[in-house]
């Protein structure tokens, strides 16, 4: 029996180690290559640069207008995160506590869309609708689409998490005269900090890494472009046709905020994911 456990543990840890290396290698390669010259990036087979130099970072910051793009990304991401937290938690509360005809059917239909990959098919209709409201050249178009577009994964997590909260809290609040919305705002919302951290982190990652939608909406106004769009544009702003060294330096700078946010919210993120899964 002990031999079987030892073999199982060995296989498990070997698989996890391989997965860890495969996950970490692209990040490590990007960070180390950001210190290389463009010629070294293109021709060298070594993971380590011949010499560590911050010149790529200085050039990327100057040529890429990273101060402007970073502010645009922070601005866009802040409103998307706050708006998504509100819509996802309220939506999860309505589907968890609300009583209306067809509630479960509507929720099943919404969740089923998680398995439909429409890709870029949504892009043109979104652009047309945004154009009607004169938002097709602004980051506000991206912000509103992300907030009102309802991320189904986050909605699902929110409902499952709120299902774990005792309904007796609602009954006690009703006896004190609280309305349906006040129960959510005064009673439920303060109890779902791990859920808020989970949704906040997921929406932060989606908004910060989003490229296609912000690129399309700001293609006519580059000063509104977020950081990820600016990073891709760096490839053609150096001394050569493809300045991969500058792009890798810019990519590294764009990765750092995500790592910092995850380190701070990691404990709440795991708690938010597992709490709803235990009961749901």
């Amino acid at each position: 029996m002990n031999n079987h456990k030892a073999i199982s543990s060995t296989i498990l840890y070997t698989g996890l180690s391989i997965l860890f290396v495969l996950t970490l290698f692209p990040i490590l390669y990007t960070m180390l290559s950001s210190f290389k010259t463009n010629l070294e990036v293109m021709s060298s087979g070594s993971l380590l640069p011949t010499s560590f130099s911050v010149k790529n970072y200085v050039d990327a910051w100057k040529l890429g207008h990273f101060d402007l793009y970073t502010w645009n990304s922070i601005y866009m991401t802040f409103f998307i995160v706050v708006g998504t937290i509100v819509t996802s938690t309220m939506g999860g509360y309505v589907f968890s506590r609300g009583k209306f005809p067809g509630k479960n059917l509507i929720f099943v239909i919404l969740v089923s869309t998680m398995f439909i990959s429409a890709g870029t098919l949504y892009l043109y209709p979104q652009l047309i609708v945004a154009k009607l409201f004169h938002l097709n050249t602004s980051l506000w178009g991206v912000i509103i689409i992300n907030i009102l577009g309802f991320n189904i994964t986050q909605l699902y997590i929110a409902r499952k998490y709120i299902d774990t909260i005792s309904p007796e809290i609602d009954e006690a609040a009703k006896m004190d005269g609280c309305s349906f919305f006040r129960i959510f705002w005064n009673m439920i919302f303060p109890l779902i900090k791990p859920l808020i951290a989970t949704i906040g982190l997921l929406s932060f990652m989606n908004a910060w890494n989003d490229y296609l939608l912000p690129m399309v909406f700001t293609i006519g106004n580059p000063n509104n472009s977020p950081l990820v769009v600016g990073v891709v544009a760096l490839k053609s702003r150096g001394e050569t046709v493809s300045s991969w060294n500058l792009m890798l330096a810019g990519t590294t700078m764009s990765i750092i905020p995500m790592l910092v946010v995850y380190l701070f919210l990691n404990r709440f993120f795991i708690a938010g994911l597992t709490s709803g899964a235990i009961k749901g």
Side-chain angles (χ1 to χ4, degrees):
M1 189 68 176
N2 290 332
N3 289 334
H4 286 300
K5 285 185 177 180
I7 293 172
S8 299
S9 298
T10 302
I11 294 173
L12 176 62
Y13 286 116
T14 301
L16 291 174
S17 299
I18 294 172
L19 183 62
F20 173 75
V21 171
L22 291 176
T23 303
L24 187 64
F25 179 77
I27 300 174
L28 186 63
Y29 176 84
T30 299
M31 290 183 172
L32 291 175
S33 296
S34 67
F35 295 100
K36 298 178 180 179
T37 64
N38 196 54
L39 179 61
E40 192 177 359
V41 172
M42 300 292 290
S43 60
S44 175
S46 174
L47 182 63
L48 295 173
T50 54
S51 62
F52 286 84
S53 173
V54 296
K55 183 177 183 301
N56 290 338
Y57 288 89
V58 175
D59 291 344
W61 187 270
K62 290 180 179 179
L63 293 173
H65 306 294
F66 265 37
D67 52 346
L68 176 62
Y69 292 151
T70 301
W71 165 249
N72 289 340
S73 281
I74 293 172
Y75 176 84
M76 178 186 75
T77 303
F78 172 79
F79 284 104
I80 289 177
V81 168
V82 173
T84 302
I85 288 173
V86 172
T87 55
S88 295
T89 54
M90 287 188 67
Y93 171 69
V94 168
F95 279 109
S96 176
R97 296 292 204 261
K99 296 178 181 179
F100 53 90
K103 180 183 76 172
N104 291 329
L105 177 61
I106 294 172
F107 186 73
V108 169
I109 292 173
L110 287 174
V111 172
S112 67
T113 60
M114 293 170 57
F115 304 97
I116 301 174
S117 179
T120 58
L121 291 178
Y122 292 136
L123 187 59
Y124 183 71
Q126 288 172 341
L127 187 61
I128 294 300
V129 172
K131 192 174 182 179
L132 293 175
F133 294 95
H134 305 288
L135 295 171
N136 57 309
T137 59
S138 167
L139 282 177
W140 274 105
V142 181
I143 292 170
I144 292 173
I145 287 173
N146 275 274
I147 292 175
L148 300 183
F150 263 117
N151 186 295
I152 304 303
T153 302
Q154 295 166 17
L155 177 65
Y156 179 83
I157 294 172
R159 180 186 179 178
K160 289 300 180 182
Y161 190 95
I162 295 173
D163 281 343
T164 64
I165 300 175
S166 174
E168 294 178 0
I169 294 176
D170 301 42
E171 298 300 327
K174 286 179 183 177
M175 292 179 65
D176 289 336
C178 287
S179 63
F180 186 74
F181 176 76
R182 278 197 64 192
I183 293 173
F184 167 75
W185 187 250
N186 294 339
M187 306 298 296
I188 302 297
F189 196 75
L191 297 175
I192 57 175
K193 290 179 181 178
L195 173 63
I196 293 171
T198 301
I199 293 176
L201 184 56
L202 290 173
S203 59
F204 175 83
M205 288 173 17
N206 290 337
W208 192 267
N209 289 325
D210 194 9
Y211 170 74
L212 186 60
L213 195 63
M215 186 271 291
V216 171
F217 273 67
T218 61
I219 195 170
N221 191 0
N223 287 334
N224 283 338
S225 298
L227 188 57
V228 173
V229 177
V231 166
V232 176
L234 269 176
K235 191 177 70 170
S236 58
R237 290 189 181 178
E239 297 175 354
T240 60
V241 175
S242 296
S243 299
W244 292 103
N245 57 330
L246 300 185
M247 186 176 177
L248 290 169
T251 301
T252 302
M253 285 190 280
S254 68
I255 289 174
I256 292 173
M258 288 188 296
L259 296 177
V260 172
V261 170
Y262 179 76
L263 288 174
F264 277 103
L265 297 180
N266 176 50
R267 180 166 59 91
F268 296 105
F269 176 72
I270 299 300
L273 285 179
T274 57
S275 180
I278 291 172
K279 199 170 182 179

